[in-house]
Amino acid sequence: MTSTSYDVIVLGIGGMGGAAVHRLAARGARVLGLERFGPAHNRGSSHGGSRIVRQTYFEGAAYVPLLLRSYELFDELAAETGRDLMVRCGGVMVGAPGSRTVAGSLASAETWDLPHEVLDAREIRRRFPTLSPADDEVALWERGAGLVRPEETVRAGIERATAAGAELRFDEPVTSWEELPGGAGVRVRTPAGSYTAGQLVICAGAWAPEQLAELGLPLAVERQVMYWFAPRGERGVEPFLPDRHPVYIWEEPDGTSVYGFPAIDGPEGGAKVAFYRSNVGTTTPETIDRTVRPEEVAAMAEHAGRHLPDLPGRLLRAVTCMYTSTPDDHFVIARPARYASVTVACGFSGHGFKFVPVVGEILAELALDGSTRHPVELFDPSRFEESRP
């Protein structure tokens, strides 16, 4: 058994944790990162080849300053590593004019004076022949929207963290952690040893309910499925290439949302689609059902076919992941009042990956400085205590 001390220990080296170890090490901290699986694994929430990025944010205008900074840091990380992290293919938020997806995106765009256009159904069809909106649907078009590659982003963060001196241990799950008395920091235990540090940053993803049980956060872990279909048309994926086909989020009249991407995986890679949430109930990382059943594929194909008539042809593959969300769908990023040496970051799933680099910056500031320059008041977990009876 080993026993070693660090300035900061980061629990979890996925999207957020990988960015945190990078930013902490870049500031000269002696950092240990601990991960229960291997680098850029497919067992949590940071896999699947693509995530939508956008700044006209229907989830709330308060997110926009973080998105502006996140775009800067994605570009910086890509330049530093030479990795192809972001594809700016443009994006459309489609639905009824009063839908949350359209109206909320427009509100953010107008609040922050972000470049955008509002397209009627005829203009949507003209610009993007792969899309088939109803006559009464509209879209907000954001030229700067697109996608990021989650696995490449995680690898890039790990690469930069290692280059800056961080010690990363994979296939080493954390079995327990505790604060030491008298403000002496924290102790973290794994099957391989015991480690101490002045600060602990917890980015546990779907394992957050277990690792943060003492906080009583109302976190729900949900099973989600991503699908890749081969287009039915004779031209294959050609009409769905990034220079012709945008990312999209499409809100249907009953509130169901479908989202998707251009074809970025070559002629045989197809195009990826998914439900924003499929309402299949809660799960845990240990009990998640990773089998995708024919009826699930049929439901996805039927919904996608309403909006992209050439897309839901032959299923190429389907992959499960997990969302870990809060009741209000806002994140949790804070130094909880009950701890002197712990920073937590969780509840990101569904819309969190686009914030990865700026969250890494925030976590480094909270752990090393005790505060952050970024607006994170929305993510204070005390909001849940205030809502309890």
Side-chain angles (χ1 to χ4, degrees):
M1 297 284 283
T2 61
S3 181
T4 313
S5 186
Y6 300 84
D7 295 326
V8 186
I9 296 173
V10 178
L11 192 165
I13 318 177
M16 303 304 175
V21 292
H22 169 203
R23 295 297 165 182
L24 285 161
R27 289 189 54 180
R30 189 178 183 209
V31 185
L32 171 66
L34 296 168
E35 168 59 52
R36 68 175 55 232
F37 300 112
H41 62 83
N42 65 355
R43 310 304 291 172
S45 305
S46 297
H47 62 281
S50 56
R51 292 291 187 276
I52 289 177
V53 291
R54 52 195 166 89
Q55 295 179 345
T56 57
Y57 216 58
F58 62 77
E59 290 87 346
Y63 285 89
V64 174
L66 298 178
L67 289 162
L68 297 174
R69 178 58 175 160
S70 196
Y71 266 55
E72 293 175 353
L73 293 174
F74 268 120
D75 287 341
E76 178 184 294
L77 185 60
E80 290 175 346
T81 61
R83 293 181 180 271
D84 180 16
L85 301 183
M86 184 183 291
V87 178
R88 289 176 170 87
C89 57
V92 286
M93 306 297 111
V94 190
S99 65
R100 181 190 182 211
T101 299
V102 175
S105 299
L106 182 60
S108 285
E110 292 177 341
T111 299
W112 291 97
D113 195 26
L114 300 173
H116 68 283
E117 297 178 64
V118 177
L119 312 179
D120 62 18
R122 179 179 297 179
E123 185 64 8
I124 297 170
R125 298 186 201 109
R126 187 188 73 79
R127 294 196 192 187
F128 310 111
T130 50
L131 306 182
S132 182
D135 289 341
D136 60 350
E137 290 182 312
V138 300
L140 183 138
W141 160 247
E142 180 185 346
R143 185 175 300 278
L147 63 94
V148 293
R149 304 177 192 272
E151 291 93 340
E152 283 295 281
T153 300
V154 173
R155 293 186 187 104
I158 290 170
E159 179 182 317
R160 297 304 297 159
T162 302
E167 181 180 340
L168 307 182
R169 293 176 174 264
F170 295 96
D171 299 304
E172 187 170 340
V174 170
T175 55
S176 67
W177 62 268
E178 62 181 339
E179 280 204 306
L180 299 174
V186 297
R187 176 178 289 112
V188 176
R189 292 183 175 87
T190 77
S194 173
Y195 310 98
T196 58
Q199 294 288 324
L200 174 64
V201 176
I202 300 178
C203 303
W207 288 263
E210 170 190 338
Q211 293 292 345
L212 300 173
E214 290 186 4
L215 288 179
L217 297 173
L219 298 170
V221 179
E222 305 166 19
R223 171 185 177 272
Q224 301 295 321
V225 183
M226 301 171 279
Y227 305 81
W228 287 258
F229 289 97
R232 285 196 294 243
E234 294 181 358
R235 294 190 294 161
V237 299
E238 183 182 343
F240 292 87
L241 294 176
D243 61 345
R244 305 167 200 189
H245 179 73
V247 297
Y248 57 89
I249 300 176
W250 207 306
E251 183 175 335
E252 298 177 350
D254 66 355
T256 301
S257 288
V258 172
Y259 68 94
F261 300 83
I264 61 170
D265 298 320
E268 305 303 319
K272 175 183 167 184
V273 298
F275 290 112
Y276 172 58
R277 281 207 166 89
S278 51
N279 298 316
V280 294
T282 59
T283 187
T284 71
E286 291 73 29
T287 62
I288 181 174
D289 181 359
R290 296 193 182 271
T291 300
V292 180
R293 291 170 171 75
E295 57 269 25
E296 295 181 284
V297 176
M300 184 77 261
E302 192 274 327
H303 278 268
R306 298 177 188 178
H307 314 302
L308 301 96
D310 290 336
L311 183 58
R314 177 171 54 93
L315 177 72
L316 299 174
R317 63 189 178 108
V319 174
T320 58
C321 70
M322 289 177 284
Y323 283 2
T324 307
S325 306
T326 64
D328 59 12
D329 285 334
H330 297 313
F331 311 148
V332 173
I333 306 175
R335 291 174 60 95
R338 68 180 296 164
Y339 298 122
S341 308
V342 179
T343 301
V344 301
C346 58
F348 294 102
S349 297
H351 66 122
F353 201 89
K354 58 184 70 65
F355 296 91
V356 156
V358 71
V359 168
E361 189 170 70
I362 290 167
L363 295 176
E365 291 176 354
L366 289 174
L368 298 179
D369 307 329
S371 62
T372 176
R373 74 189 111 156
H374 295 291
V376 296
E377 296 79 11
L378 182 62
F379 312 133
D380 189 334
S382 66
R383 68 188 189 272
F384 303 120
E385 298 173 7
E386 294 166 359
S387 67
R388 290 171 187 160

